Amino acid sequence: MFQALAAKVHQHVILADGKVPDPTRNAPGALTGKVDKVLGILAWAGTAAGVAGVLITGAMMAVSMRRGEGSEHMGRLGMVLGGCVLVATAGPVVTFVFG
């Protein structure tokens, strides 16, 4: 128990000296190409889902206005737009952090 605690303290002391770890990238090129392709497809799917969500919410708002019903769709539109912002900023944030 004490040895595990001492190892953790030693690890924190090493990281606390101000040096930033700089790991090397050693993933195979074929693997990184496949991962990039899958992430690109997921990004396009997220964008398409956001556009579809905005269109569906707009259509629901138009139908409810036509019927004369109260509109509770502004909250839904806010959630859809918030999701669009998350999808749009996910790629640049990951690139900034890990790139």
Side-chain angles (χ1 to χ4, degrees), residues 26-37:
N26 58 359
L31 178 65
T32 57
K34 291 177 182 177
V35 170
D36 286 343
K37 187 171 187 170

Side-chain angles (χ1 to χ4, degrees), residues 46 79-94:
M79 288 190 298
V80 169
L81 292 177
C84 290
V85 168
L86 282 174
V87 168
T89 59
V93 167
V94 170

Side-chain angles (χ1 to χ4, degrees), residues 42-82:
L42 289 174
W44 277 105
T47 303
V51 169
V54 170
L55 291 174
I56 291 169
T57 303
M60 291 175 70
M61 289 173 74
V63 168
S64 67
M65 292 296 278
R66 175 83 172 139
R67 291 181 183 169
E69 298 173 352
S71 179
E72 297 177 0
H73 301 291
M74 290 306 288
R76 186 175 299 157
L77 182 62
M79 288 190 298
V80 169
L81 292 177

